Amino acid sequence: MKRKQTINVDYQDMIQQAKSMFNLSQDEINEIIVEVKKFDTKGTGYVGKHEVDDVLRDLKLLDNEKLIAKFNEELKIMNAKFLDFKQVCDLYCKLKQYQQQLNEEETITQEYIDAFCALGGQLDKSGFVLKSTIIETIKREFELNLELDSILGDFHGTQLDFDEFCQLFENAGDDGKSFITSVSLSKRNQNDFVVRYKDFEKWEKLVN
């Protein structure tokens, strides 16, 4: 009967240290170990600088240009020809956190695109939204629960392009974000603005 292969003793120590240093699940630790050992065939505990990208790519953390740029930036800071298991884990955590940040930003951007389209703009972010459309939508769908002045601020134009639209609602604080999220949800559900602000408040409390 063949003996079950065990992890190199050097790795055992590094694994324990990594567990205490990083917020990683056992499954994540195991996945990193598998990928690292593909390139550390001699069990030295180190992976070459030019092989780390293969490790992280296999771990689905280098799947866009922003993540690759972040990886190169962190690798440059480390300034090492070889990285041990803890350093690979450090890179993994930083890239994972950055990936989550990008996903959150993408979600927020999509909400703005949904709302912009629902109010008259185009999917490719071209076109304009009329100020009058925003006012009418707030009055009709939000039943004046939102303060118009808090959203429109000092804006005196008659129409907004996508960048102006985003900036306007970014500056409007929670009221503006509530409006964007509600209109986005309505568009995704193809409800033609049936989500009222009072209903959105109830939904938001349930989610949070």
Side-chain angles (χ1 to χ4, degrees), residues 93-108:
C93 290
K94 287 176 178 176
L95 288 174
K96 183 182 176 184
Q97 183 179 19
Y98 186 57
Q99 186 181 57
Q100 291 171 342
Q101 179 186 327
L102 291 176
N103 289 339
E104 289 171 5
E105 290 174 358
E106 184 178 343
T107 298
I108 293 170

Side-chain angles (χ1 to χ4, degrees), residues 23-33 59 92 96:
N23 185 25
L24 292 170
S25 67
Q26 186 60 53
D27 286 343
E28 288 176 311
I29 291 283
N30 292 341
E31 288 176 359
I32 297 171
I33 278 289
L59 292 168
Y92 175 92
K96 183 182 176 184

Side-chain angles (χ1 to χ4, degrees), residues 175-186:
D175 279 350
K177 292 174 183 176
S178 295
F179 178 81
I180 292 296
T181 300
S182 185
V183 174
S184 173
L185 284 170
S186 297

Side-chain angles (χ1 to χ4, degrees), residues 72-182:
N72 289 330
E73 176 187 327
E74 294 294 339
L75 202 59
K76 186 176 181 180
I77 292 172
M78 286 184 170
N79 191 29
K81 291 183 179 181
F82 295 90
L83 284 75
D84 64 23
F85 182 70
K86 289 181 295 180
Q87 289 173 306
V88 174
C89 287
D90 186 28
L91 271 174
Y92 175 92
C93 290
K94 287 176 178 176
L95 288 174
K96 183 182 176 184
Q97 183 179 19
Y98 186 57
Q99 186 181 57
Q100 291 171 342
Q101 179 186 327
L102 291 176
N103 289 339
E104 289 171 5
E105 290 174 358
E106 184 178 343
T107 298
I108 293 170
T109 300
Q110 189 58 53
E111 285 190 345
Y112 275 100
I113 293 173
D114 288 342
F116 185 70
C117 292
L119 294 170
Q122 301 300 315
L123 187 60
D124 63 358
K125 298 185 282 190
S126 64
F128 298 90
V129 168
L130 296 176
K131 178 180 177 180
S132 59
T133 301
I134 296 173
I135 294 173
E136 289 170 7
T137 303
I138 291 173
K139 286 181 177 179
R140 185 179 69 250
E141 300 300 330
F142 288 78
E143 300 173 351
L144 290 177
N145 280 303
L146 293 179
E147 294 292 335
L148 289 175
D149 290 341
S150 71
I151 289 182
L152 298 176
D154 298 325
F155 182 77
H156 301 296
T158 59
Q159 61 184 23
L160 301 89
D161 63 20
F162 182 73
D163 290 337
E164 292 170 332
F165 181 81
C166 293
Q167 191 61 54
L168 179 73
F169 287 98
E170 277 292 315
N171 294 340
D174 291 340
D175 279 350
K177 292 174 183 176
S178 295
F179 178 81
I180 292 296
T181 300
S182 185

